[in-house]
Amino acid sequence: MGSVKAALVYSSRLLTTLKKQTHVIYIKRTLLLPRLTVFKRTDGRFVPLVRQSSSTAAGAERGEDSFLKWFLLLIPATTFGLGTWQVKRRQWKMQLINELTKLTTAEPIPLPTDPHELNSLEYRRVRVRGQFDHSQELYVLPRSPVDPEKEAREAGRLSSSGETGANVITPFHCTDLGITILVNRGYVPRQRIRPETRMKGQVEDEVEVVGVVRLTEQRKPFVPNNDVERNRWHYRDLEGMSSVTGAEPIFIDADFGSTIPGGPLGGQTRVALRNEHMQYIMTWYGLCAATSYMWFAKFVKKIA
């Protein structure tokens, strides 16, 4: 009985000692490492587990916020750069349009026959004198009449008036130069494509024609190939047209003043280029302003 009592006393003292040692270990480790937790495994050993402190977590969070802050700043910076680029593009386009307008309204010069010189004179006004060969007309279709005022009114519409026809290309023998060239006499509606429907305009006399020089045209995607057999041309192929008519690969668009009563309507040269850069400028600068405000509100004013 005494031995049992002694064993119980010894066990009680041992547990008390272990508790004190565990408490001391916990206190000491807590001073050295933040939030150190001690676990006891089945083999009796104490295993410490370190948890991340609140200050360490806050530092990592601040690092992530700093990266996100500067990364999102790329959005307004990029949109500002795109808007500025469109400003430069618009200036270039306006200058190009002004140059084309000057060329098409300048005093006409005699038509040069040197191919190298002609390659640098597209849209330049020239003057020729001679006779048309109406027996070899070519038809470029479908085409709509060039009417700058009407096109300005219908700009932005999904559909236009739908009036279509053809441009009449006629060999023209230049009596002063001794060569035959190709002249785009102008537009005729679909019901007047056949020459017998416009005999009044099929003049045989010698006439003077003023027009602008045009170069050959490359076929664009989705544009059909020219049908030489059916005399249906869809783009300006000077080599192909010259081989059919026997004319030189020299092409001019007759201006409106060269229109012969009852014949095709001259002045079918489109010099207006697409100029939608102002819309792009407003779009990019608008996005820049909106994203800049959102960034300022989020990271500077700290609006949640």
Side-chain angles (χ1 to χ4, degrees):
M1 185 70 179
S3 60
V4 173
K5 184 176 180 181
L8 291 174
V9 172
Y10 178 78
S11 299
S12 175
R13 290 176 179 177
L14 180 61
L15 290 173
T16 303
T17 303
L18 288 174
K19 288 181 179 180
K20 291 180 179 180
Q21 290 177 352
T22 302
H23 181 67
V24 171
I25 293 172
Y26 180 80
I27 293 174
K28 289 181 178 180
R29 294 300 175 88
T30 303
L31 293 174
L32 294 175
L33 295 175
R35 293 191 181 182
L36 178 64
T37 303
V38 179
F39 292 92
K40 183 177 180 180
R41 299 192 308 186
T42 55
D43 57 1
R45 295 180 181 179
F46 295 95
V47 179
L49 177 64
V50 180
R51 295 180 181 176
Q52 191 177 35
S53 66
S54 59
S55 61
T56 304
E61 185 177 354
R62 284 194 299 270
E64 292 178 358
D65 287 345
S66 179
F67 172 77
L68 183 64
K69 173 183 178 180
W70 298 115
F71 178 76
L72 292 180
L73 189 60
L74 289 175
I75 298 176
T78 301
T79 52
F80 179 82
L82 290 171
T84 304
W85 176 63
Q86 287 297 331
V87 170
K88 300 294 184 181
R89 289 277 297 174
R90 183 175 183 273
Q91 293 173 350
W92 167 80
K93 185 65 68 66
M94 295 297 293
Q95 182 180 358
L96 181 59
I97 292 173
N98 290 335
E99 291 176 355
L100 291 178
T101 303
K102 289 179 181 178
L103 286 174
T104 56
T105 57
E107 268 310 300
I109 62 174
L111 175 68
T113 57
D114 183 6
H116 297 289
E117 186 177 357
L118 283 170
N119 288 337
S120 61
L121 292 178
E122 187 166 24
Y123 293 105
R124 186 67 170 86
R125 294 184 80 205
V126 294
R127 176 184 285 109
V128 291
R129 189 169 188 83
Q131 293 175 308
F132 287 109
D133 181 3
H134 302 292
S135 65
Q136 297 193 75
E137 283 185 347
L138 304 177
Y139 308 113
V140 181
L141 70 169
R143 288 293 184 271
S144 57
V146 174
D147 185 347
E149 294 182 0
K150 182 179 180 181
E151 291 177 3
R153 291 194 305 269
E154 296 182 349
R157 294 185 185 178
L158 296 178
S159 60
S160 60
S161 60
E163 182 183 0
T164 61
N167 285 351
V168 179
I169 315 301
T170 308
F172 185 84
H173 181 70
C174 301
T175 55
D176 53 346
L177 299 175
I179 61 173
T180 300
I181 65 173
L182 296 168
V183 175
N184 175 14
R185 295 185 62 197
Y187 169 84
V188 292
R190 186 178 297 273
Q191 63 272 19
R192 297 189 62 197
I193 292 178
R194 291 179 296 140
E196 56 268 23
T197 62
R198 45 184 169 83
M199 291 303 297
K200 182 180 178 181
Q202 304 295 84
V203 295
E204 302 290 343
D205 300 331
E206 185 175 285
V207 294
E208 183 179 81
V209 175
V210 176
V212 296
V213 176
R214 302 304 306 274
L215 303 181
T216 194
E217 187 178 24
Q218 298 296 324
R219 186 174 72 90
K220 298 178 181 178
F222 309 111
V223 173
N225 290 312
N226 291 326
D227 190 344
V228 179
E229 297 296 328
R230 299 174 58 193
N231 194 10
R232 297 175 66 90
W233 302 79
H234 302 286
Y235 61 96
R236 193 172 54 252
D237 177 11
L238 298 192
E239 293 297 331
M241 292 177 173
S242 298
S243 64
V244 171
T245 61
E248 297 293 328
I250 301 175
F251 191 104
I252 67 173
D253 284 340
D255 65 8
F256 182 77
S258 299
T259 301
I260 297 173
L265 180 66
Q268 299 301 306
T269 304
R270 280 187 168 88
V271 295
L273 304 177
R274 286 187 64 184
N275 187 12
E276 300 177 351
H277 297 290
M278 182 56 71
Q279 300 178 22
Y280 301 146
I281 291 170
M282 295 175 64
T283 299
W284 289 124
Y285 279 156
L287 287 173
C288 175
T291 53
S292 296
Y293 174 77
M294 293 170 64
W295 186 88
F296 178 79
K298 173 67 177 177
F299 296 107
V300 179
K301 296 182 68 176
K302 302 294 185 180
I303 298 177

